[in-house]
Amino acid sequence: MTSSPKISQVASKPIPFTGFQALWVPGTTRVCTFGSSDAGFGVIQVHVLSTSSSTSKSPIGATTSQIPKLILHSETEKKSQFKCGTFRAGGSHPPRLVTGDFDGRVGLWDLNRMEVPLSLLEAHTDIVTCIDGAGGTPGAGTGSLSSSQPRQEFVTGCRDGTVKVWDTRQKEQAVSVMAPKKGYGHEVWSVSMNAQSSGPEDLLVVAGYDNGDIRVLDLVAGKPLFETNIKHGVCSVEFDRTRGASKRLIATTMEGTLHSFDLDGSISESKAMVEETITVQTGDESTLWQARHVPQRQDVFAVTDGGGNIHLYEHGNAGSLIKSLGSHQFAKEAILSLEFNDDLEGLFVACDLNNTLRIGMLTV
């Protein structure tokens, strides 16, 4: 990489609730944000990234420029707060949102008719803390698998330590359940799913826990394929790609550490993965809330922290798994969520604890 990456803000807008997550609606310039209002209700909002014309006068005459803006398209408010969501379950058209809420339910939503969910499943007995799928979306970032081969599976993690894998074709019962051992008592904070090929046996799921445990799960055997402990609560864990054989796994923690694991094409109980750890941030703002790869550049990823910074990294070789590409102040408060656009390289959406929805551009 010859030049330093740059991050610029494209648009921003205050939102009247705490947004736990913001996602691009696949194939569009719409963003979906969901979370909790101060009154304890769940909120889903859809905004459109649009442009408006602005005319300014100069000595050589009037000039017109296009100013990007976030315009509210639709919204709904429900009794239960929304904690997590994904569009990667099923690859349906139009895209449908799958959410996890504070009452342990998983909901399927048509964003054009949000009065009631299309379905509502009693999935867990406690808060659904995290969710991910391997459905893939048309455009870049779907790996080696064609977007004509959508995956129907998705994974949920719960505060009670349970991880469940679901299939949208059989909603009433999980296809795989990894329950914690008696007395384990640790919460699942983050999950990620990877489809190595089109077969059900080639799905990988990784879960990160509040005590620092990381487990790559064997869905067929219903047990960990690989597990380790990184000492601190795992805020975010992600494979370097959703589709195709994953090469790297990254994890971030409450104490400001970033961990990279070299998968080397295979994972097994008998083989320890090569790991590299670096300290990204220290002090009161050290929590690294989320890590996300650029879909079109799977060697590049971003990490957000408790002070509103975005830290950029590049995957290296076995000698040095992580290379820093610099840090950028993007917000004044902790950035809880960041998601890159699958179609427009570098475009991302983020939401922060200042209750602000932000659109940014990463130029690599």
Side-chain angles (χ1 to χ4, degrees):
M1 193 168 296
T2 57
S3 59
S4 299
K6 297 179 181 179
I7 287 180
S8 57
Q9 183 165 281
V10 175
S12 66
K13 184 177 181 179
I15 53 177
F17 62 98
T18 300
F20 293 125
Q21 199 169 359
L23 302 171
W24 291 100
V25 180
T28 74
T29 54
R30 291 185 295 163
V31 294
C32 180
T33 315
F34 40 88
S36 171
S37 69
D38 290 342
F41 293 101
V43 182
I44 301 175
Q45 284 190 344
V46 178
H47 287 84
V48 178
L49 180 60
S50 184
T51 56
S52 61
S53 298
S54 175
T55 302
S56 59
K57 294 183 178 180
S58 68
I60 59 173
T63 58
T64 301
S65 59
Q66 299 294 318
I67 301 176
K69 287 186 176 181
L70 284 165
I71 300 174
L72 182 63
H73 176 268
S74 56
E75 64 180 324
T76 189
E77 186 175 273
K78 304 301 176 187
K79 290 183 179 180
S80 185
Q81 304 162 71
F82 298 105
K83 183 65 176 70
C84 54
T86 185
F87 284 103
R88 294 175 179 165
S92 60
H93 298 280
R96 290 174 176 174
L97 174 68
V98 180
T99 58
D101 67 26
F102 277 50
D103 290 326
R105 300 176 302 182
V106 169
L108 179 65
W109 301 85
D110 180 344
L111 297 184
N112 295 316
R113 295 186 295 273
M114 293 195 295
E115 295 83 5
V116 294
L118 297 172
S119 64
L120 196 59
L121 175 67
E122 301 289 339
H124 292 273
T125 58
D126 208 331
I127 297 174
V128 183
T129 54
C130 46
I131 189 169
D132 192 28
T137 55
T142 55
S144 61
L145 300 183
S146 168
S147 59
S148 64
Q149 299 174 309
R151 298 302 299 247
Q152 304 296 325
E153 301 93 342
F154 65 96
V155 59
T156 56
C158 180
R159 189 166 68 171
D160 68 5
T162 303
V163 176
K164 295 185 179 183
V165 176
W166 308 84
D167 190 313
T168 57
R169 295 164 295 191
Q170 51 183 78
K171 302 183 183 70
E172 297 305 316
Q173 186 174 355
V175 297
S176 182
V177 178
M178 273 69 64
K181 295 179 181 179
K182 186 176 180 180
Y184 180 68
H186 294 290
E187 305 174 11
V188 183
W189 279 0
S190 181
V191 291
S192 181
M193 179 174 271
N194 166 260
Q196 298 188 74
S197 68
S198 58
E201 70 280 358
D202 290 323
L203 276 176
L204 283 180
V205 168
V206 62
Y209 297 77
D210 67 345
N211 68 332
D213 282 347
I214 292 178
R215 295 174 177 171
V216 179
L217 304 171
D218 184 333
L219 302 183
V220 177
K223 65 178 184 178
L225 184 62
F226 169 85
E227 55 185 329
T228 188
N229 184 279
I230 57 175
K231 300 181 180 179
H232 308 296
V234 182
C235 298
S236 181
V237 63
E238 189 184 56
F239 292 109
D240 63 352
R241 65 200 69 207
T242 303
R243 313 292 295 274
S246 185
K247 298 179 180 179
R248 295 289 169 82
L249 171 66
I250 56 174
T252 63
T253 73
M254 285 189 67
E255 299 301 322
T257 57
L258 167 64
H259 303 255
S260 176
F261 298 89
D262 185 1
L263 303 186
D264 194 30
S266 64
I267 306 173
S268 68
E269 294 178 278
S270 60
K271 180 180 178 181
M273 289 191 286
V274 176
E275 177 189 359
E276 182 174 338
T277 303
I278 63 172
T279 299
V280 177
Q281 192 73 286
T282 59
D284 296 337
E285 299 174 342
S286 63
T287 300
L288 303 182
W289 287 97
Q290 194 158 60
R292 285 292 182 263
H293 288 84
V294 179
Q296 301 85 356
R297 289 286 309 273
Q298 292 155 346
D299 60 326
V300 176
F301 62 96
V303 175
T304 69
D305 72 15
N309 298 294
I310 297 176
H311 308 271
L312 299 174
Y313 295 92
E314 182 178 26
H315 290 301
N317 53 37
S320 178
L321 298 183
I322 312 171
K323 176 185 175 183
S324 175
L325 300 178
S327 300
H328 304 261
Q329 184 83 39
F330 190 67
K332 295 181 179 179
E333 300 286 345
I335 301 173
L336 303 183
S337 169
L338 183 147
E339 197 79 19
F340 287 100
N341 190 291
D342 276 334
D343 300 311
L344 300 174
E345 182 174 345
L347 191 67
F348 65 88
V349 59
C351 54
D352 59 51
L353 273 181
N354 199 31
N355 291 2
T356 303
L357 182 63
R358 302 177 189 274
I359 305 295
M361 174 61 76
L362 165 64
T363 304
V364 179

